[in-house]
Amino acid sequence: QMELVESGGGLVQAGDSLRLSCAASARTFSNYHMGWFRQAPGKEREFVAAVNNLGGRTHYTDPVKGRFTISRDNAKNALYLQMNSLKPEGPAVYYCAASLLRYYWQGRISAFIYWGQGTQVTVSS
């Protein structure tokens, strides 16, 4: 069992940066591949980025490549998402999630078994 708690969301302007954090409760955090997803009002939840359990491999959806960076600190049971050059896309809730499956990098929601409650990010123009 793992509890995930996101933080760091807020209201920012286009072009700003924001860093999201996800605190994990499990002692076996380093066994899990981790991901970030986001969901805008009225839309499906979508994959943003993922990192393997040891932090050596990262994967991104094309729209965020070069602007977002996912990282983790296994000693602190923490996951991060550094978001730069944010675009005015309106509000979205960002979720962190954990997976034990090898195909976590494909960003399928079904591959992730533990989810946080989310943190809202709103980027205004």
Side-chain angles (χ1 to χ4, degrees):
Q1 189 70 21
M2 177 186 288
E3 181 179 353
L4 300 171
V5 180
E6 303 93 336
S7 62
L11 173 63
V12 296
Q13 294 186 330
D16 285 352
S17 296
L18 202 60
R19 188 192 196 204
L20 304 183
S21 298
C22 173
S25 64
R27 295 180 181 179
T28 56
F29 177 69
S30 62
N31 290 345
Y32 291 84
H33 312 303
M34 299 297 295
W36 286 100
F37 293 75
R38 66 185 173 193
Q39 187 169 19
K43 296 186 178 180
E44 293 185 352
R45 193 169 299 187
E46 61 181 5
F47 170 74
V48 176
V51 60
N52 74 334
N53 61 316
L54 298 181
R57 295 184 180 181
T58 57
H59 313 272
Y60 301 91
T61 186
D62 284 346
V64 308
K65 285 181 180 177
R67 300 189 297 120
F68 289 14
T69 302
I70 187 172
S71 62
R72 64 190 296 163
D73 186 339
N74 286 346
K76 297 181 178 180
N77 281 11
L79 176 73
Y80 307 101
L81 184 67
Q82 177 67 42
M83 306 186 292
N84 298 330
S85 302
L86 285 163
K87 297 183 178 180
E89 297 172 325
V93 178
Y94 281 73
Y95 299 91
C96 65
S99 172
L100 289 173
L101 300 178
R102 286 187 296 175
Y103 58 86
Y104 74 95
W105 59 271
Q106 295 179 2
R108 301 180 189 177
I109 291 176
S110 59
F112 291 80
I113 55 174
Y114 297 118
W115 292 83
Q117 293 300 307
T119 184
Q120 178 152 320
V121 175
T122 302
V123 184
S124 63
S125 58

